[in-house]
Amino acid sequence: MELLALFISAILVNNFVLYYFLGICPFLGVSKKIDSAFSMGLAVTFVMTITAVFSWLINHLILIPYGLDYLQIVSFILVIASLVQLVEMFIRKISPPLYQALGIYLPLITTNCAIMGLALIAVLNNYSFVETVIFGVGSGLGFTLAIVLMAGIREELDLADVPEPLKGAGIALIVAGIMALAFNGFLGMIK
Amino acid sequence: MNLSSRMVIVLTSVGLISGSFLASVGLLTKERIALNRQQETEAAIVTVVPGTTNSQIVYEEEGFTVYEGKEDNGNLAGFAIYASGTGFQGKITLMYGTDSSMTKIKFLTIIEQRETPGLGSKITDVEAFLRYWENKDMSSSLTLHKPAASSPEELAPTEVNTITGATISSEKVLEIVNLSLERLRNLKKEGKLSSEEQDAS
Amino acid sequence: MPAKSIRAEYLKGLWQENPVFRQLLGMCPTLAVTGAVINGIAMGLATSFVLIFSSLVISSIKKLIPSQVRIACYVVIIATFVTMADRFLAAFFLPISKSLGPYVPLIVVNCIILGRQEAFSSKNSVGRSLIDALGMSSGFVLALLILSSIREILGSGTFLGHQVMGAWFKPWLIMIFPSGAFITLGILLAIALVIESKAKQRR
Amino acid sequence: MIDKTYILQSSPHFKDKDSVPKIMYVVILSLMPSFLTSVYFFRFRAIALFVSCIGACLATEALFLWLRKKPKHSLLDGSAVITGLLLAMTLPPSLSLDRAVIGAVAAIAIGKQVFGGLGHNIFNPALVGRAFLQTAFPVAMTTWIPPAMLKVNTVTFATPLDNLKFQDAVAQGTLTSLKDLFLGNIGGCLGETSALALLLGAIYLFYKRAIDWRIPVGIICALTVFTGIFWLANPDKYASPLFHILAGGLLIGAFFMATDMVTSPITPLGSWIYALGIGIMVGLIRLFGGYPEGVMYSILFMNTFVPLLNRYTRPRILGERREK
């Protein structure tokens, strides 16, 4: 039950984009078309889940037992970078169509703060292994939900008469603000 | 020198240099950070059990710690209970102090919270919330006074106040305290909190 | 290097290439920590520290690094300085370190920093890189300062914790919330664009 | 197939100058019963709030039209008046006027004009204004006064849903009676208290065919089923579906806000999904959420899905292939 609560809260209540402000760059940059937004969301969810697993293992099997917590930042970022590389090679071998869909987004993910943020927030909240993985999947899905909704709205806004200076990032940020207001309704739902 | 060996050498040396840098930074700041943490706990204990000059842990489990506070002359000043739980938006950790016979809650303080700024975060506000927790009867579960009272005199000895507009955050704090009170009463019944026993062991 | 170009190199970070308003970089910390001015300034300074020192180190060893592994080297160097900043804050400024939470370690993935290394430090002399980093840092601090001032004054009625609005003012809590951050930054970006297009017309 | 292509136009459906004000005036007229009951129940406070909200909405609209050098005629199309009217109806009667003005400015500015004005907005402007106020001034937005008819000597007064959520009204037996809910002699937002007045307006809207019937029907059905399950399982703890339908902002939301043509789906299937989503989310928030009421959040939340719903429930034209 607590795991379910954690999962839903990661998607809706503590949404990575709308609550933690993580992954704003892809959220603004790759949300112009629904299809690419969806692929980006999937890629992020995928990498987040794997990162959750590996960052927890490294933190609890190496860094904490040997008192190396000051290497956390360096090791997490290196793990993420190499994981993205591996995932990219792996997908290219296993499933070329998937690679076609996700390929161009994978390198972008290395500097996506959502992935690093996931690892750090999981450490900060002292999540157990299972919790970390659930948190990773949930956060990834939350990111996907936010970016796909945003892309839908931005496609619609292509036809709208948005004031010139607000076009692009400006209106996207205001939409995100109103989305954050709407998502507030879920506050307190997770006990 | 060919390219690949140059790559390896550069990467290793960058790694080594930054690693040693970090190791020294880590060592230099480690003590200070640990000290910060300890000071924070000590300050909280003194807030909730005034007069404490010396404290030690008498019982500890996940998210629940009981400290015993002693005065300068060695007399028991009271107990400080550290407890944590989920709030409206994130974890709340708090500490409250009792008198030496564990009949009354003396003071409550919030150590960490991530409640809504300006609303739920008022649980850290002395005027709006914390002063309503002074001298509460801890022999049974406490209850919330709704709607908010405007002065502590309006409350019964087992009642604490609600924050206007943040009922849930107030409820969460109450819940954390009530749960830990129950644990505390059980521990006391089982005699696990007597300091003599601690001293002997 | 002539004095004029030094000035231009510095000033471009403040406005024309301002990382937040013009390049839309480093948006995550810009939104996340600007609920209070003190947090905004602390974040700005921590990021500046990392940017300036990584630029110095990278521009001085750029010839030694083979281009195939340059990103890995940059990341390690940046992460080193980030850890130093993080540790320093935790050791000496605990309250600030606590309120910034995960966003200090997250400087490591701030696109401004890696972006400047790729775009500038890896190609320019140590001096020019330093000036570029100083300019970008100032631009970032400026952006954080503007956003956090608006949010703190409207959201709490205070500036750096001091009451600046009269008793008549009722704080707009929304400004401290994520929604307020998004909306304010969106409006600021639009204002920046208007100013820029006006300036262009004049030129 | 040819018939179906008629629905394919994108919102807004009404582009010609005549029909926009006409529909708007039907909506305004349909809100009159609620307007009158709120003035009856809350007297001067109600009038002051209506005047300041509508005035501020018109002024903000005019400011934007002037800034963007647009023709002024859209100021008189009635849409800004409706936004002001609806916003005022969702405010607590005790709200101070300066706050109401802030909400009205937010409604028009960030709810409507930043998207390019009428027909382009994604979210219901009045609800954006209300959500802005709710987050900015949470205490003032949840402080209620008793209606003038009720001779009670309290300054503050809980709404039926507050009682349900925070006072355990079902178990205590203090739940507001359905008759009071229906007539509106209760605490709450200006225009939401009297179910009777809202239903009168809704009948007029149906008669004029001004709204998509699927949306209110879907919302009410979803909420009935959702709250009905819990009520049947444990009637000592949960309130009946009828209570949930009559209480709070459900009726005004279902008939007057969720049905806003610009911000609701254009396809029948989309409308059903949208309405069910709102109904279920209202139930979730009221039963398990942190707030006593969730109509505003639910509609705004489902507003964000409308572009996706329009896109994926659109009937495919014969021979059309999805582009790759």
Coordinates of all heavy atoms in Angstrom, one line a residue, chain B residues 3 6-7 10-11 14 18 21-22 25-26 29 32-33 36 40 111-112 116-119, chain C residues 63-66 68-69 72-73 76-77 80 83-84 87 90-92 94 98 173 176-177:
Chain B
L3 N 47.0 7.7 -29.7 CA 45.8 8.4 -29.2 C 45.2 7.6 -28.0 O 44.9 8.2 -26.9 CB 44.8 8.5 -30.3 CG 43.6 9.3 -29.9 CD1 44.0 10.8 -29.7 CD2 42.5 9.2 -30.9
R6 N 47.0 7.9 -24.8 CA 46.9 9.3 -24.3 C 45.5 9.5 -23.6 O 45.4 10.1 -22.6 CB 47.0 10.3 -25.5 CG 47.6 11.6 -25.0 CD 47.8 12.6 -26.1 NE 47.0 13.7 -25.9 CZ 46.6 14.5 -26.9 NH1 46.9 14.2 -28.1 NH2 46.0 15.6 -26.6
M7 N 44.5 8.9 -24.3 CA 43.2 9.0 -23.7 C 43.1 8.4 -22.3 O 42.6 9.0 -21.3 CB 42.1 8.3 -24.6 CG 41.5 9.2 -25.6 SD 40.8 8.3 -27.0 CE 39.6 7.3 -26.2
V10 N 45.2 10.6 -19.8 CA 44.5 11.8 -19.4 C 43.3 11.5 -18.5 O 43.1 12.1 -17.4 CB 44.0 12.6 -20.6 CG1 43.0 13.7 -20.2 CG2 45.1 13.1 -21.4
L11 N 42.5 10.5 -18.8 CA 41.3 10.2 -18.0 C 41.7 9.8 -16.6 O 41.2 10.2 -15.6 CB 40.5 9.1 -18.7 CG 39.4 9.5 -19.6 CD1 38.6 8.3 -20.1 CD2 38.4 10.5 -18.8
V14 N 43.1 12.8 -14.7 CA 42.0 13.7 -14.2 C 41.2 13.0 -13.1 O 41.0 13.7 -12.1 CB 41.1 14.0 -15.4 CG1 39.8 14.6 -14.9 CG2 41.7 14.9 -16.4
S18 N 41.2 14.6 -9.3 CA 40.0 15.1 -8.7 C 39.6 14.2 -7.5 O 39.1 14.7 -6.5 CB 38.8 15.1 -9.7 OG 38.4 13.8 -10.0
F21 N 41.6 15.3 -4.6 CA 41.0 16.6 -4.2 C 39.8 16.4 -3.3 O 39.6 16.9 -2.3 CB 40.6 17.4 -5.5 CG 41.1 18.7 -5.5 CD1 42.4 19.0 -6.1 CD2 40.4 19.8 -5.0 CE1 42.9 20.3 -6.2 CE2 41.0 21.1 -5.0 CZ 42.2 21.3 -5.6
L22 N 38.9 15.5 -3.9 CA 37.6 15.3 -3.2 C 37.9 14.6 -1.9 O 37.2 14.9 -0.9 CB 36.7 14.4 -4.1 CG 36.1 15.1 -5.2 CD1 35.2 14.2 -6.0 CD2 35.3 16.3 -4.7
V25 N 38.8 17.2 0.5 CA 37.7 18.0 0.9 C 36.8 17.3 1.8 O 36.3 17.8 2.8 CB 36.9 18.5 -0.4 CG1 35.6 19.2 0.0 CG2 37.8 19.4 -1.2
G26 N 36.5 16.0 1.5 CA 35.7 15.1 2.3 C 36.2 15.0 3.7 O 35.4 15.2 4.6
T29 N 35.8 18.4 5.7 CA 34.5 18.8 6.1 C 33.7 17.8 6.9 O 32.7 18.1 7.5 CB 33.6 19.2 4.8 OG1 33.7 18.1 3.9 CG2 34.2 20.4 4.1
R32 N 33.1 18.6 10.6 CA 32.3 19.7 10.8 C 30.8 19.4 10.5 O 29.9 19.8 11.2 CB 32.8 20.8 9.8 CG 32.1 22.0 9.7 CD 32.6 23.0 10.7 NE 31.5 24.0 10.9 CZ 31.7 25.2 11.5 NH1 32.9 25.5 11.9 NH2 30.7 26.0 11.6
I33 N 30.6 18.6 9.4 CA 29.2 18.2 9.1 C 28.6 17.4 10.2 O 27.4 17.6 10.6 CB 29.2 17.6 7.7 CG1 29.5 18.6 6.6 CG2 27.8 17.0 7.4 CD1 29.7 18.0 5.2
N36 N 27.8 19.6 13.0 CA 26.5 20.3 12.7 C 25.3 19.5 13.1 O 24.4 20.0 13.8 CB 26.4 20.6 11.2 CG 27.2 21.9 10.9 OD1 27.4 22.7 11.8 ND2 27.5 22.1 9.6
E40 N 22.6 20.3 16.1 CA 21.2 20.5 15.8 C 20.4 19.7 16.8 O 19.4 20.2 17.3 CB 21.0 20.0 14.4 CG 19.7 20.5 13.8 CD 19.5 20.1 12.4 OE1 19.7 18.9 12.1 OE2 19.2 20.9 11.5
I111 N 11.8 19.8 13.7 CA 13.1 19.8 13.2 C 13.2 20.0 11.7 O 13.9 20.8 11.2 CB 13.9 18.5 13.6 CG1 13.9 18.4 15.2 CG2 15.3 18.5 13.1 CD1 14.6 17.2 15.7
E112 N 12.4 19.2 11.0 CA 12.4 19.3 9.6 C 11.0 19.1 9.1 O 10.2 18.3 9.6 CB 13.3 18.2 9.0 CG 14.4 18.8 8.1 CD 15.3 17.8 7.6 OE1 15.8 16.9 8.3 OE2 15.5 17.8 6.4
T116 N 3.4 22.9 3.0 CA 3.1 24.1 2.2 C 3.6 25.4 2.8 O 3.2 25.7 3.9 CB 1.6 24.2 2.0 OG1 1.0 23.0 1.8 CG2 1.3 25.0 0.7
P117 N 4.5 26.1 2.1 CA 5.0 27.3 2.7 C 3.9 28.3 2.9 O 2.9 28.5 2.1 CB 5.9 27.9 1.6 CG 5.9 27.0 0.4 CD 5.0 25.8 0.7
G118 N 3.9 28.9 4.1 CA 2.9 29.9 4.4 C 1.6 29.4 5.0 O 0.8 30.1 5.6
L119 N 1.5 28.0 4.9 CA 0.3 27.4 5.5 C 0.6 26.3 6.4 O 0.8 26.5 7.6 CB -0.6 26.8 4.3 CG -1.6 27.7 3.7 CD1 -2.5 26.8 2.8 CD2 -2.5 28.2 4.8
Chain C
K63 N 44.6 21.7 -24.1 CA 45.4 21.1 -25.2 C 45.8 19.6 -24.8 O 46.1 18.9 -25.7 CB 46.7 21.9 -25.3 CG 46.4 23.3 -25.9 CD 47.5 23.7 -26.9 CE 47.2 25.0 -27.6 NZ 47.5 26.2 -26.7
L64 N 45.7 19.3 -23.5 CA 46.1 18.0 -23.1 C 45.0 17.0 -23.4 O 45.3 15.8 -23.4 CB 46.5 18.0 -21.6 CG 47.7 18.8 -21.2 CD1 47.8 18.9 -19.7 CD2 48.9 18.3 -21.9
I65 N 43.8 17.4 -23.4 CA 42.7 16.5 -23.5 C 42.3 16.1 -24.9 O 42.0 17.0 -25.7 CB 41.4 17.1 -22.8 CG1 41.8 17.6 -21.4 CG2 40.3 16.1 -22.8 CD1 40.6 18.3 -20.7
P66 N 42.4 14.8 -25.2 CA 41.9 14.4 -26.5 C 40.4 14.6 -26.7 O 39.7 14.4 -25.7 CB 42.2 12.9 -26.5 CG 43.0 12.6 -25.3 CD 42.8 13.7 -24.3
Q68 N 38.1 13.0 -27.9 CA 37.1 11.9 -27.7 C 36.7 11.8 -26.3 O 35.6 11.3 -26.0 CB 37.8 10.5 -28.1 CG 38.0 10.4 -29.6 CD 39.2 11.0 -30.1 OE1 39.9 11.8 -29.4 NE2 39.6 10.7 -31.3
V69 N 37.5 12.1 -25.3 CA 37.2 11.9 -23.9 C 36.9 13.3 -23.2 O 36.9 13.3 -22.0 CB 38.3 11.2 -23.2 CG1 38.3 9.7 -23.7 CG2 39.6 11.8 -23.3
A72 N 33.8 13.5 -20.8 CA 34.0 12.8 -19.6 C 34.9 13.6 -18.6 O 34.7 13.7 -17.4 CB 34.6 11.4 -19.9
C73 N 36.0 14.2 -19.2 CA 36.9 14.9 -18.4 C 36.2 16.2 -17.8 O 36.3 16.5 -16.6 CB 38.1 15.4 -19.2 SG 39.2 14.1 -19.6
V76 N 33.9 15.2 -15.0 CA 34.6 14.9 -13.7 C 35.1 16.2 -13.0 O 35.0 16.4 -11.8 CB 35.8 13.9 -14.0 CG1 36.7 13.8 -12.7 CG2 35.3 12.6 -14.4
I77 N 35.7 17.1 -13.8 CA 36.2 18.3 -13.3 C 35.0 19.1 -12.6 O 35.1 19.6 -11.5 CB 36.9 19.2 -14.3 CG1 38.2 18.4 -14.7 CG2 37.2 20.6 -13.8 CD1 38.8 18.9 -16.0
T80 N 33.8 17.7 -9.5 CA 34.7 17.9 -8.3 C 34.4 19.2 -7.7 O 34.3 19.3 -6.5 CB 36.2 17.9 -8.8 OG1 36.4 16.8 -9.6 CG2 37.1 18.0 -7.7
T83 N 31.1 19.1 -5.8 CA 31.2 18.5 -4.5 C 31.8 19.4 -3.5 O 31.3 19.5 -2.3 CB 32.0 17.2 -4.6 OG1 31.6 16.5 -5.7 CG2 31.9 16.4 -3.4
M84 N 32.8 20.2 -3.9 CA 33.4 21.1 -3.0 C 32.4 22.1 -2.5 O 32.3 22.4 -1.3 CB 34.6 21.8 -3.7 CG 35.8 20.9 -3.8 SD 37.1 21.6 -4.8 CE 37.6 23.0 -3.9
R87 N 29.8 20.4 -0.1 CA 30.4 20.2 1.2 C 30.6 21.4 2.0 O 30.4 21.5 3.2 CB 31.8 19.5 1.0 CG 31.6 18.1 0.5 CD 31.3 17.4 1.7 NE 30.9 16.0 1.5 CZ 30.9 15.1 2.5 NH1 31.1 15.4 3.7 NH2 30.6 13.9 2.3
A90 N 27.4 22.6 3.3 CA 26.9 21.8 4.4 C 27.6 22.0 5.7 O 27.1 21.9 6.8 CB 26.9 20.3 3.9
A91 N 28.9 22.3 5.5 CA 29.8 22.5 6.7 C 29.6 23.8 7.3 O 29.6 23.9 8.6 CB 31.2 22.2 6.4
F92 N 29.5 24.9 6.5 CA 29.5 26.2 7.1 C 28.2 27.0 7.0 O 28.0 28.0 7.7 CB 30.7 27.0 6.5 CG 32.0 26.4 6.8 CD1 32.6 25.6 5.8 CD2 32.6 26.5 8.0 CE1 33.8 25.1 6.0 CE2 33.8 25.9 8.3 CZ 34.4 25.2 7.3
L94 N 24.8 25.6 7.1 CA 23.8 24.5 7.1 C 22.4 24.9 6.8 O 21.8 24.2 5.9 CB 23.8 23.8 8.5 CG 23.0 22.6 8.6 CD1 23.6 21.5 7.7 CD2 23.0 22.0 10.1
K98 N 20.4 23.2 3.7 CA 19.2 22.4 3.8 C 18.1 22.9 2.9 O 17.4 22.2 2.3 CB 18.7 22.5 5.3 CG 19.2 21.4 6.1 CD 18.6 21.6 7.5 CE 18.4 20.3 8.3 NZ 17.8 20.6 9.6
L173 N 0.6 33.9 -1.6 CA 1.3 32.6 -1.4 C 1.7 31.9 -2.7 O 2.7 31.2 -2.8 CB 0.6 31.7 -0.5 CG 0.5 32.1 1.0 CD1 -0.2 31.0 1.8 CD2 2.0 32.2 1.5
I176 N 5.3 31.6 -4.0 CA 6.3 30.7 -3.4 C 6.1 29.3 -4.0 O 7.0 28.5 -4.0 CB 6.2 30.7 -1.9 CG1 6.0 32.1 -1.3 CG2 7.4 30.0 -1.3 CD1 5.8 32.1 0.2
F177 N 4.9 29.1 -4.6 CA 4.6 27.8 -5.1 C 5.2 27.6 -6.5 O 5.5 28.5 -7.2 CB 3.1 27.6 -5.2 CG 2.4 27.2 -4.0 CD1 2.2 28.1 -2.9 CD2 1.9 25.9 -3.8 CE1 1.6 27.7 -1.8 CE2 1.3 25.6 -2.6 CZ 1.1 26.5 -1.6

